[in-house]
Every structure is written in structure tokens, then in C-alpha cells.
Amino acid sequence: MDLTAINKVLEEGGETAAEKLRTFFLTLQDEYRVTINLHDLAGISQVDPEIRTVLEPFLYHNNPFCNHVKKTGRAFAACCQNKTILCRFFRAKDKPFYGVCYLGIEELRYPIRWNGRLLGFLCVGQFCGDRDGADGKIDHYAKKFAMDAGEAKRIHRLATRPLDLDVRRFGQQTGFLADYLALLYARYILAKANGLTRKALEAAVDAVRGGQSVDNPEAEGQREALKKYTED
């Protein structure tokens, strides 16, 4: 065993925070054969250009079924409404939960919080344990949105599987990812806040928001609340 080589690697410090984040996301996806979606309410992805690059692929539901459905304008609007409902749900609920969307896609959902503030949430999927129920939902909305129900159901079957992973073990690891995202947010925001106290910083961010709460997935991005407190 070459102790000198090992210690050299340790002394070099390893990966950057962004590289560690990429490794964390990809390791979870590969090990459990899932896709992970980050709903970024507070601008976690905006705190640093490198972190933005890492998080970019995870900022939307990138799977065959969702990509297919969102080609239809009314279905895309319904998906956005579903995200808004999740935002409101997590403002009232502090724990992860397992839920299903209006088209029968089942997901594990995990909140990301810092000092009690909801920063965002992670959605992990895609699963389906009720094929008949999902088919019924697709038939209903396909008629409503003028979609091809047969094609949608075919892609739904390709994109989903039963929830066959160890939920407790996966939840522990995903909980660490959520905590790491919250710590990155806190680290970059506080480090670049020019000496503001936490109370003053939160008051300033609330002022940039116009005193409004975040109740939809795009709110912070629209108000550009972080731009004033981060460096280019």
C-alpha cells in the first residue's frame, strides 16, 4: 500500500463542492436507476456558475414520458400547476412523502430546508404501482388535452417501474443530498452577504421578493432575489 500516494490525494482536497454535488446526483441515479428532479424555489442553482452547470440537467423532469406529455401546451400547464400544489404542500408539511401526479407518475418527494425556510424539493421516480389507475388518468386527460392516449400509455410503461428499491436506505441518502444542497445555499449566501446578520439578510431577501411568499416553482427566478447578494 502506497501511503504517500494516498496522503497526497487527501492533502489535495479532492473535488470541489460542485463536483461533489454532481457525483452525489449521478451515484444515486445510477445505483437506484432513478431520475432526480430539483425544484429550485430559492435559487440554489444560482449561487455559483459551476453549481448552476452541475444542477442544470436536474432542474426539470427529464424522462421520456414527461418530455412527451409537455409537448402539449395544456398538459404542460397542468404539470406546472401540479408543481405549484407541491410547493404549497411542502409549506405545510416538513417530511418526505410518496405521491402520484395527475397522469399516474409516482414519485418520492423530499423537502430542502434551511433555518425553517423551504428552499426547494427533490422529486425522484418514475414509478407506477397502479397500472389500471394510471391508464384511467391518461385516458381522461388525453381526451381533455387532445393527446394520443395509446402512445402516452406506451411511453408511460417504458418510463416507469414498480417501487422496488429500499425506501429507507434511499431516503437516508437522499436526505443527505437535500441537506448538502441546503448547506451549499447557506454557505454561498452568507459568505457573500457583506456582513449582514441572518435576520437582516432574510429581511433583505424578503424585501427583494416584495414581501410575497414563494408559492410556485418559478417565483424566485422571476424576482431574481439572489442577484443583489451574489457576485458575478
PDB file of all heavy atoms in Angstrom, residues 187-204:
ATOM      1  N   ARG A 187     -23.948  28.464   2.716  1.00  0.00           N
ATOM      2  CA  ARG A 187     -22.530  28.830   2.611  1.00  0.00           C
ATOM      3  C   ARG A 187     -22.315  29.986   1.647  1.00  0.00           C
ATOM      4  O   ARG A 187     -21.655  30.976   1.971  1.00  0.00           O
ATOM      5  CB  ARG A 187     -21.732  27.618   2.156  1.00  0.00           C
ATOM      6  CG  ARG A 187     -20.301  27.934   1.744  1.00  0.00           C
ATOM      7  CD  ARG A 187     -19.636  26.709   1.137  1.00  0.00           C
ATOM      8  NE  ARG A 187     -18.388  27.038   0.464  1.00  0.00           N
ATOM      9  CZ  ARG A 187     -17.668  26.171  -0.234  1.00  0.00           C
ATOM     10  NH1 ARG A 187     -18.080  24.924  -0.350  1.00  0.00           N
ATOM     11  NH2 ARG A 187     -16.556  26.535  -0.826  1.00  0.00           N
ATOM     12  N   TYR A 188     -22.886  29.880   0.458  1.00  0.00           N
ATOM     13  CA  TYR A 188     -22.652  30.911  -0.554  1.00  0.00           C
ATOM     14  C   TYR A 188     -23.401  32.193  -0.245  1.00  0.00           C
ATOM     15  O   TYR A 188     -22.868  33.295  -0.433  1.00  0.00           O
ATOM     16  CB  TYR A 188     -23.045  30.383  -1.939  1.00  0.00           C
ATOM     17  CG  TYR A 188     -21.995  29.499  -2.554  1.00  0.00           C
ATOM     18  CD1 TYR A 188     -22.024  28.125  -2.386  1.00  0.00           C
ATOM     19  CD2 TYR A 188     -20.947  30.040  -3.289  1.00  0.00           C
ATOM     20  CE1 TYR A 188     -21.051  27.299  -2.931  1.00  0.00           C
ATOM     21  CE2 TYR A 188     -19.968  29.227  -3.833  1.00  0.00           C
ATOM     22  CZ  TYR A 188     -20.025  27.862  -3.658  1.00  0.00           C
ATOM     23  OH  TYR A 188     -19.055  27.062  -4.200  1.00  0.00           O
ATOM     24  N   ILE A 189     -24.629  32.081   0.223  1.00  0.00           N
ATOM     25  CA  ILE A 189     -25.404  33.280   0.517  1.00  0.00           C
ATOM     26  C   ILE A 189     -24.792  34.051   1.676  1.00  0.00           C
ATOM     27  O   ILE A 189     -24.582  35.259   1.616  1.00  0.00           O
ATOM     28  CB  ILE A 189     -26.867  32.913   0.834  1.00  0.00           C
ATOM     29  CG1 ILE A 189     -27.544  32.348  -0.409  1.00  0.00           C
ATOM     30  CG2 ILE A 189     -27.634  34.135   1.328  1.00  0.00           C
ATOM     31  CD1 ILE A 189     -27.546  33.272  -1.600  1.00  0.00           C
ATOM     32  N   LEU A 190     -24.469  33.358   2.767  1.00  0.00           N
ATOM     33  CA  LEU A 190     -23.923  34.036   3.940  1.00  0.00           C
ATOM     34  C   LEU A 190     -22.523  34.573   3.673  1.00  0.00           C
ATOM     35  O   LEU A 190     -22.146  35.645   4.159  1.00  0.00           O
ATOM     36  CB  LEU A 190     -23.929  33.085   5.138  1.00  0.00           C
ATOM     37  CG  LEU A 190     -25.318  32.676   5.628  1.00  0.00           C
ATOM     38  CD1 LEU A 190     -25.192  31.704   6.792  1.00  0.00           C
ATOM     39  CD2 LEU A 190     -26.120  33.901   6.043  1.00  0.00           C
ATOM     40  N   ALA A 191     -21.726  33.836   2.887  1.00  0.00           N
ATOM     41  CA  ALA A 191     -20.367  34.283   2.600  1.00  0.00           C
ATOM     42  C   ALA A 191     -20.344  35.541   1.746  1.00  0.00           C
ATOM     43  O   ALA A 191     -19.401  36.332   1.808  1.00  0.00           O
ATOM     44  CB  ALA A 191     -19.592  33.178   1.891  1.00  0.00           C
ATOM     45  N   LYS A 192     -21.387  35.750   0.968  1.00  0.00           N
ATOM     46  CA  LYS A 192     -21.418  36.883   0.047  1.00  0.00           C
ATOM     47  C   LYS A 192     -22.415  37.956   0.474  1.00  0.00           C
ATOM     48  O   LYS A 192     -22.803  38.804  -0.307  1.00  0.00           O
ATOM     49  CB  LYS A 192     -21.751  36.394  -1.358  1.00  0.00           C
ATOM     50  CG  LYS A 192     -20.706  35.418  -1.906  1.00  0.00           C
ATOM     51  CD  LYS A 192     -21.052  34.929  -3.293  1.00  0.00           C
ATOM     52  CE  LYS A 192     -20.001  33.934  -3.794  1.00  0.00           C
ATOM     53  NZ  LYS A 192     -20.280  33.452  -5.153  1.00  0.00           N
ATOM     54  N   ALA A 193     -22.838  37.904   1.711  1.00  0.00           N
ATOM     55  CA  ALA A 193     -23.851  38.843   2.188  1.00  0.00           C
ATOM     56  C   ALA A 193     -23.243  40.108   2.775  1.00  0.00           C
ATOM     57  O   ALA A 193     -23.942  40.899   3.395  1.00  0.00           O
ATOM     58  CB  ALA A 193     -24.740  38.172   3.225  1.00  0.00           C
ATOM     59  N   ASN A 194     -21.924  40.280   2.652  1.00  0.00           N
ATOM     60  CA  ASN A 194     -21.246  41.507   3.087  1.00  0.00           C
ATOM     61  C   ASN A 194     -21.500  41.844   4.553  1.00  0.00           C
ATOM     62  O   ASN A 194     -21.765  42.992   4.914  1.00  0.00           O
ATOM     63  CB  ASN A 194     -21.672  42.691   2.212  1.00  0.00           C
ATOM     64  CG  ASN A 194     -21.269  42.502   0.764  1.00  0.00           C
ATOM     65  OD1 ASN A 194     -20.184  41.993   0.471  1.00  0.00           O
ATOM     66  ND2 ASN A 194     -22.137  42.884  -0.150  1.00  0.00           N
ATOM     67  N   GLY A 195     -21.450  40.792   5.392  1.00  0.00           N
ATOM     68  CA  GLY A 195     -21.530  41.037   6.827  1.00  0.00           C
ATOM     69  C   GLY A 195     -22.929  41.188   7.380  1.00  0.00           C
ATOM     70  O   GLY A 195     -23.091  41.505   8.557  1.00  0.00           O
ATOM     71  N   LEU A 196     -23.964  40.985   6.573  1.00  0.00           N
ATOM     72  CA  LEU A 196     -25.317  41.088   7.094  1.00  0.00           C
ATOM     73  C   LEU A 196     -25.579  39.981   8.115  1.00  0.00           C
ATOM     74  O   LEU A 196     -25.110  38.867   7.957  1.00  0.00           O
ATOM     75  CB  LEU A 196     -26.346  40.953   5.965  1.00  0.00           C
ATOM     76  CG  LEU A 196     -26.469  42.104   4.972  1.00  0.00           C
ATOM     77  CD1 LEU A 196     -27.476  41.728   3.899  1.00  0.00           C
ATOM     78  CD2 LEU A 196     -26.909  43.374   5.671  1.00  0.00           C
ATOM     79  N   THR A 197     -26.332  40.285   9.163  1.00  0.00           N
ATOM     80  CA  THR A 197     -26.767  39.242  10.081  1.00  0.00           C
ATOM     81  C   THR A 197     -27.829  38.398   9.389  1.00  0.00           C
ATOM     82  O   THR A 197     -28.415  38.810   8.385  1.00  0.00           O
ATOM     83  CB  THR A 197     -27.374  39.852  11.353  1.00  0.00           C
ATOM     84  OG1 THR A 197     -28.564  40.575  10.993  1.00  0.00           O
ATOM     85  CG2 THR A 197     -26.396  40.792  12.034  1.00  0.00           C
ATOM     86  N   ARG A 198     -28.081  37.206   9.933  1.00  0.00           N
ATOM     87  CA  ARG A 198     -29.082  36.341   9.310  1.00  0.00           C
ATOM     88  C   ARG A 198     -30.438  37.038   9.256  1.00  0.00           C
ATOM     89  O   ARG A 198     -31.148  36.979   8.245  1.00  0.00           O
ATOM     90  CB  ARG A 198     -29.210  35.023  10.097  1.00  0.00           C
ATOM     91  CG  ARG A 198     -30.259  34.075   9.503  1.00  0.00           C
ATOM     92  CD  ARG A 198     -30.135  32.686  10.118  1.00  0.00           C
ATOM     93  NE  ARG A 198     -30.486  32.675  11.526  1.00  0.00           N
ATOM     94  CZ  ARG A 198     -31.739  32.522  11.975  1.00  0.00           C
ATOM     95  NH1 ARG A 198     -32.723  32.367  11.117  1.00  0.00           N
ATOM     96  NH2 ARG A 198     -31.990  32.500  13.256  1.00  0.00           N
ATOM     97  N   LYS A 199     -30.809  37.736  10.350  1.00  0.00           N
ATOM     98  CA  LYS A 199     -32.101  38.412  10.375  1.00  0.00           C
ATOM     99  C   LYS A 199     -32.170  39.507   9.319  1.00  0.00           C
ATOM    100  O   LYS A 199     -33.164  39.648   8.602  1.00  0.00           O
ATOM    101  CB  LYS A 199     -32.337  39.003  11.766  1.00  0.00           C
ATOM    102  CG  LYS A 199     -33.707  39.648  11.929  1.00  0.00           C
ATOM    103  CD  LYS A 199     -33.909  40.115  13.370  1.00  0.00           C
ATOM    104  CE  LYS A 199     -35.287  40.750  13.541  1.00  0.00           C
ATOM    105  NZ  LYS A 199     -35.494  41.214  14.937  1.00  0.00           N
ATOM    106  N   ALA A 200     -31.071  40.262   9.200  1.00  0.00           N
ATOM    107  CA  ALA A 200     -31.044  41.336   8.212  1.00  0.00           C
ATOM    108  C   ALA A 200     -31.044  40.783   6.796  1.00  0.00           C
ATOM    109  O   ALA A 200     -31.686  41.318   5.889  1.00  0.00           O
ATOM    110  CB  ALA A 200     -29.813  42.219   8.433  1.00  0.00           C
ATOM    111  N   LEU A 201     -30.310  39.667   6.587  1.00  0.00           N
ATOM    112  CA  LEU A 201     -30.260  39.058   5.261  1.00  0.00           C
ATOM    113  C   LEU A 201     -31.637  38.557   4.848  1.00  0.00           C
ATOM    114  O   LEU A 201     -32.088  38.809   3.733  1.00  0.00           O
ATOM    115  CB  LEU A 201     -29.268  37.893   5.260  1.00  0.00           C
ATOM    116  CG  LEU A 201     -29.203  37.064   3.968  1.00  0.00           C
ATOM    117  CD1 LEU A 201     -28.753  37.922   2.802  1.00  0.00           C
ATOM    118  CD2 LEU A 201     -28.260  35.882   4.147  1.00  0.00           C
ATOM    119  N   GLU A 202     -32.322  37.863   5.760  1.00  0.00           N
ATOM    120  CA  GLU A 202     -33.639  37.347   5.422  1.00  0.00           C
ATOM    121  C   GLU A 202     -34.619  38.492   5.151  1.00  0.00           C
ATOM    122  O   GLU A 202     -35.456  38.409   4.253  1.00  0.00           O
ATOM    123  CB  GLU A 202     -34.149  36.441   6.540  1.00  0.00           C
ATOM    124  CG  GLU A 202     -33.370  35.134   6.643  1.00  0.00           C
ATOM    125  CD  GLU A 202     -33.871  34.223   7.745  1.00  0.00           C
ATOM    126  OE1 GLU A 202     -34.713  34.697   8.552  1.00  0.00           O
ATOM    127  OE2 GLU A 202     -33.435  33.063   7.804  1.00  0.00           O
ATOM    128  N   ALA A 203     -34.488  39.587   5.928  1.00  0.00           N
ATOM    129  CA  ALA A 203     -35.352  40.739   5.690  1.00  0.00           C
ATOM    130  C   ALA A 203     -35.074  41.351   4.323  1.00  0.00           C
ATOM    131  O   ALA A 203     -35.991  41.761   3.609  1.00  0.00           O
ATOM    132  CB  ALA A 203     -35.136  41.787   6.791  1.00  0.00           C
ATOM    133  N   ALA A 204     -33.772  41.383   3.944  1.00  0.00           N
ATOM    134  CA  ALA A 204     -33.408  41.939   2.644  1.00  0.00           C
ATOM    135  C   ALA A 204     -33.935  41.087   1.501  1.00  0.00           C
ATOM    136  O   ALA A 204     -34.454  41.608   0.505  1.00  0.00           O
ATOM    137  CB  ALA A 204     -31.888  42.079   2.546  1.00  0.00           C
TER     138      ALA A 204
END
